[in-house]
């Protein structure tokens, strides 16, 4: 059993957010209920799943009395975790994403480190699993305490000014926290955040802590899925990265270390913007000025893009980068201006099978003219969609 436990049997609350992961959740839950440390409260928060995930959770709850299932309307990852935190009764709290899994000794080893050191949290290594193989990340054993340790750690491993940042992750899933500590830190994360929420929570944990521990035990398995939130790329990532940097700066200010982080924050923001530009330009379609206001309505659809101007080129960049729909054709009144394999003359639209035509122009009166012209050609008007393009970086 756990070193230093004595007669104590501290309870660990394990929080698992669940949303439309019926292919993965069984493996995840099996890995939790078979932990070598048995004193667990397992909280499964079904965040409005529309597949069979919620029912699978209920099936496991009937098998194991330690499991409690909570069903809530979809509100995003942050709200799901907060719902779990409100119900957590453990002395310590851990997080497992519902499409990941852990090895049998994961929580026993992390708890042992916390009991030996009385740290606020312990960070373990992890195994990254992709379709083409696995990679293990195991940081050297290390104690971090005091600003003389924490600020350099943030610069090196959060803002990536050092050379070993690949050995750790700003997630909260490969760690074990004192319960009161993580509840205090995580409740500051904005509910609406869907990108970078773990980094914000982890940075606050670092600055709030008296001491935390790094351990090389790599027994958390992180599954990389193309359809997962963190891997859905679109031009909207510019806004997400900017918002994340803004939230980080607010944390530095709150803890009085903004003057020491300022130079490094500027470099970090620049590197994130360069990464976004590289993603956009991977198709050779240029810098994006105009963004699709609601790209989500095209998910899973067969789409035709109408417009060979700047708006059209920008829209094509976003749709191809996001990989969330199938662009079956790109056309224009002067279709020869569309130098791309998908280009067709517009009088061939009636030959195609598609769900929507996205009219990619800036002005509404031009969109109306295009609708009328396409209708004359026999194109169904109820499949045509136009909304005013959104500027990537509007002038304030």
């Amino acid at each position: 059993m756990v070193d230093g436990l004595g007669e104590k049997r501290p309870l660990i609350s394990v929080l698992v957010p669940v949303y439309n992961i019926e292919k993965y959740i069984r493996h995840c839950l099996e890995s939790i209920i078979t932990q070598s440390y048995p004193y667990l409260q397992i909280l499964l928060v079904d965040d409005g799943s529309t597949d069979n995930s919620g029912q699978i959770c209920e099936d496991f709850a009937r098998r194991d009395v330690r499991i409690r299932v909570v069903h809530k309307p979809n509100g995003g990852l942050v709200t799901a975790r907060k719902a779990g935190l409100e119900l957590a009764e453990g002395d310590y709290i851990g997080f497992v994403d519902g499409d990941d899994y852990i090895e049998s000794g994961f929580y026993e080893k992390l708890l042992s480190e916390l009991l030996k050191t009385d740290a606020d949290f312990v960070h373990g290594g992890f195994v990254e699993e992709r379709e083409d193989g696995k990679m293990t990340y195991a940081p050297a054993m290390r104690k971090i305490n005091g600003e003389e340790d924490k600020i350099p750690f943030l610069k090196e491993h959060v803002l990536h000014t050092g050379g070993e940042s690949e050995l750790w992750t700003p997630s909260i899933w490969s760690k074990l926290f004192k319960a009161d500590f993580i509840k205090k830190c995580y409740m500051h994360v904005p509910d609406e955040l869907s990108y970078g929420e773990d980094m914000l929570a982890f940075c606050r944990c670092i600055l709030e802590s008296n001491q935390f521990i790094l351990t090389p035990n790599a027994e958390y398995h992180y599954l990389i899925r193309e359809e997962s939130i963190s891997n859905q790329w679109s031009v909207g990532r510019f806004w997400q990265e900017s918002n994340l940097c803004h939230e980080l700066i607010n944390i530095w200010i709150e803890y009085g270390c903004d003057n020491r982080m300022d130079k490094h924050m500027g470099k970090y923001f620049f590197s994130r913007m360069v990464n976004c530009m590289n993603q956009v330009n991977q198709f050779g379609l240029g810098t994006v000025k105009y963004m699709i206001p609601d790209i989500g309505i095209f998910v899973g659809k067969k789409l035709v893009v109408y417009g060979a101007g700047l708006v059209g080129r920008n829209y094509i960049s976003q749709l191809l980068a996001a990989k969330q729909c199938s662009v079956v054709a790109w056309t224009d009144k002067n279709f020869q201006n569309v130098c791309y394999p998908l280009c067709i003359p517009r009088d061939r639209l009636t030959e195609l099978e598609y769900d929507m035509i996205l009219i990619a122009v800036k002005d509404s009166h031009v969109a109306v003219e295009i609708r009328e012209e396409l209708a004359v050609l026999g194109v169904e008007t109820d499949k045509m969609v136009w909304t005013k393009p959104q500027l990537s970086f509007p002038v304030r």
Side-chain angles (χ1 to χ4, degrees), residues 41-59:
Q41 176 197 27
I42 304 168
L43 295 167
L44 312 181
V45 184
D46 173 24
D47 189 37
S49 294
T50 57
D51 65 0
N52 200 39
S53 298
Q55 184 56 54
I56 295 171
C57 291
E58 293 289 355
D59 293 342

Side-chain angles (χ1 to χ4, degrees), residues 137-205:
Y137 299 91
M141 193 72 186
R142 183 179 173 187
K143 295 180 182 180
I144 309 292
N145 50 34
E147 289 194 4
E148 66 277 7
D149 286 342
K150 291 191 290 187
I151 299 302
F153 184 89
L154 285 167
K155 291 177 180 178
E156 181 177 356
H157 296 293
V158 174
L159 303 185
H160 307 297
T161 59
E164 298 183 5
S165 56
E166 74 279 1
L167 297 179
W168 73 285
T169 167
S171 70
I172 60 172
W173 40 247
S174 60
K175 302 162 178 64
L176 185 62
F177 302 88
K178 286 183 176 178
D180 290 342
F181 176 81
I182 187 59
K183 288 180 180 180
K184 176 182 178 181
C185 292
Y186 198 82
M187 288 304 177
H188 287 276
V189 179
D191 288 355
E192 66 277 6
L193 208 63
S194 62
Y195 177 77
E197 67 284 343
D198 276 18
M199 177 177 282
L200 293 181
F202 186 54
C203 288
R204 187 175 290 275
C205 285

